[in-house]
Amino acid sequence: EPEVTQTPSHQVTQMGQEVILRCVPISNHLYFYWYRQILGQKVEFLVSFYNNEISEKSEIFDDQFSVERPDGSNFTLKIRSTKLEDSAMYFCASCGLASDTQYFGPGTRLTVL
Amino acid sequence: GQNIDQPTEMTATEGAIVQINCTYQTSGFNGLFWYQQHAGEAPTFLSYNVLDGLEEKGRFSSFLSRSKGYSYLLLKELQMKDSASYLCAVRGKAGGYNKLIFGAGTRLAVHP
């Protein structure tokens, strides 16, 4: 069964450093998302992406964040200058044209020191 | 504003039935989703309702009343592996690219 994959599973970085989180959505899906979940809190929407552009972004998704689909398979989230409060689990999700369901990847646990 | 409420914690006995409620107040509505999340793992899709009524999928069923802004997830024949958080999520607008708004989740503990 096809699934969303994410790398790395765990990333530790120093405050102020740039990180890139990578996702490979399900191959025939067209809609892509990033969500985050701070430990013990709810899943929060960051950004949605369709047809090579951002469809919607939340207030969390400020100028420090960017997304890219550099080739036909990868979907990346970049945080330019990480802050302590960026420590969270970051989930990528994708959705197909014929389906209403978003399928989530296993997540990347980001720890900012 | 957007508000999704569900109980924080529930406990139940192996083999029993449990109902997890969710109420929502969102600026639009185009579908309600239930996900299961084990600690440290990704949300896994369980069910989806966009019309009023009951959707049944094996041991899991989900109900929706749009006029009441209310849904529930029913888990039957509980197993120990059902111990997890159950997340209620609403999609506010039509279209696959639209975001999900999640509740805080209900942590279910199943005991022997």
Side-chain angles (χ1 to χ4, degrees):
Chain A
E1 187 175 317
E3 54 185 25
V4 178
T5 59
Q6 290 185 241
T7 53
S9 56
H10 193 181
Q11 173 98 43
V12 181
T13 190
Q14 295 290 327
M15 193 169 56
Q17 295 296 304
E18 174 183 285
V19 293
I20 297 176
L21 310 183
R22 291 183 166 78
C23 169
V24 179
I26 293 172
S27 64
N28 61 347
H29 282 188
L30 297 178
Y31 307 108
F32 314 116
Y33 317 82
W34 284 101
Y35 291 83
R36 79 171 187 192
Q37 187 175 31
I38 295 170
L39 188 64
Q41 298 187 23
K42 62 182 167 184
V43 176
E44 301 175 287
F45 168 77
L46 292 177
V47 65
S48 59
F49 191 87
Y50 169 68
N51 201 25
N52 281 318
E53 59 183 26
I54 289 174
S55 305
E56 186 178 1
K57 57 185 180 180
S58 71
E59 60 274 9
I60 302 168
F61 194 89
D62 62 21
D63 292 345
Q64 294 301 311
F65 290 86
S66 63
V67 289
E68 198 175 39
R69 188 153 161 83
D71 53 44
S73 60
N74 289 285
F75 179 52
T76 62
L77 174 70
K78 183 195 289 186
I79 310 175
R80 256 179 279 282
S81 177
T82 49
K83 303 190 273 283
L84 294 176
E85 54 265 37
D86 294 328
S87 294
M89 194 77 155
Y90 287 80
F91 293 110
C92 173
S94 69
C95 181
L97 199 58
S99 166
D100 288 313
T101 301
Q102 295 181 25
Y103 293 93
F104 284 73
T108 294
R109 181 173 300 283
L110 177 65
T111 303
V112 182
L113 302 175
Chain B
Q2 321 268 43
N3 202 39
I4 299 174
D5 288 316
Q6 41 182 142
T8 305
E9 289 185 357
M10 298 182 73
T11 58
T13 306
E14 195 175 13
I17 299 172
V18 72
Q19 178 175 311
I20 302 174
N21 296 324
C22 172
T23 57
Y24 63 89
Q25 293 162 319
T26 53
S27 53
F29 179 84
N30 201 268
L32 187 141
F33 297 77
W34 285 96
Y35 285 83
Q36 180 191 62
Q37 187 179 32
H38 284 99
E41 297 184 10
T44 304
F45 170 72
L46 290 177
S47 72
Y48 164 60
N49 296 71
V50 67
L51 299 176
D52 291 351
L54 190 68
E55 293 283 338
E56 296 189 78
K57 276 176 84 172
R59 291 191 302 115
F60 297 89
S61 305
S62 58
F63 171 83
L64 175 68
S65 167
R66 289 171 296 170
S67 62
K68 294 181 179 168
Y70 168 69
S71 172
Y72 67 72
L73 179 70
L74 196 71
L75 292 78
K76 302 175 198 170
E77 301 167 18
L78 280 172
Q79 302 173 10
M80 299 296 290
K81 67 178 183 180
D82 296 329
S83 293
S85 287
Y86 291 86
L87 314 182
C88 174
V90 171
R91 188 174 63 204
K93 292 188 282 190
Y97 51 84
N98 282 303
K99 67 187 179 195
L100 295 177
I101 304 157
F102 282 85
T106 298
R107 196 159 52 248
L108 174 67
V110 180
H111 54 84

